[in-house]
Amino acid sequence: MEIQQTPENALSHSTVTALINAPIEKVNIADWLLNLPDAEYQRCSTQHIGAGITSTYDGQPMSINVETIGDALMVQHYVATVHRPDYCRMLSISDSITKNGRTKVQVLWELKATRIDEHTCL
């Protein structure tokens, strides 16, 4: 069950942008993300341990990611609630494992491409 995120219940929020030197028609976030090889995931950060692709019982695409954040081992079960070439909304009820025990954390990850001009997007 999704918890609606508000400023009162959010632990953190971050936004990162990058210029993509390709027309928006050449960008397919869903295809990239839902077919991301484990080795490519690991190359993105020294904290990334492993990644794989599967699906939920009802057939929704899912990305399983394992990484460390601070002193926590995170096992993330990102379900693609929206997956289009220009936008992915990934929602995870993640397992956070620390020396103090194990807990669940909801993580919302959104990836979006926006056309700037015929040669670039954000």
Side-chain angles (χ1 to χ4, degrees), residues 36-51 66:
L36 183 66
D38 180 54
E40 186 173 340
Y41 174 78
Q42 291 182 33
R43 280 193 305 268
C44 292
S45 171
T46 59
Q47 304 305 305
H48 288 179
I49 298 167
V66 179

Side-chain angles (χ1 to χ4, degrees), residues 55-93:
S55 61
T56 63
Y57 283 120
D58 61 356
Q60 290 180 285
M62 183 190 314
S63 173
I64 306 292
N65 303 328
V66 179
E67 68 177 311
T68 56
I69 299 176
D71 67 347
L73 177 66
M74 298 293 296
V75 180
Q76 300 158 329
H77 306 88
Y78 284 108
V79 176
T81 60
V82 178
H83 48 97
R84 303 188 313 248
D86 67 326
Y87 176 72
C88 279
R89 183 180 190 275
M90 308 293 287
L91 184 65
S92 175
I93 305 303

Side-chain angles (χ1 to χ4, degrees), residues 16-29 32 85-86 111-122:
V16 178
T17 60
L19 189 64
I20 301 171
N21 292 314
I24 192 77
E25 297 80 17
K26 297 282 187 179
V27 174
N28 191 331
I29 296 169
W32 169 76
D86 67 326
L111 300 93
K112 178 171 66 170
T114 306
R115 182 183 191 275
I116 294 175
D117 59 34
E118 64 271 4
H119 302 292
T120 54
C121 50
L122 188 66

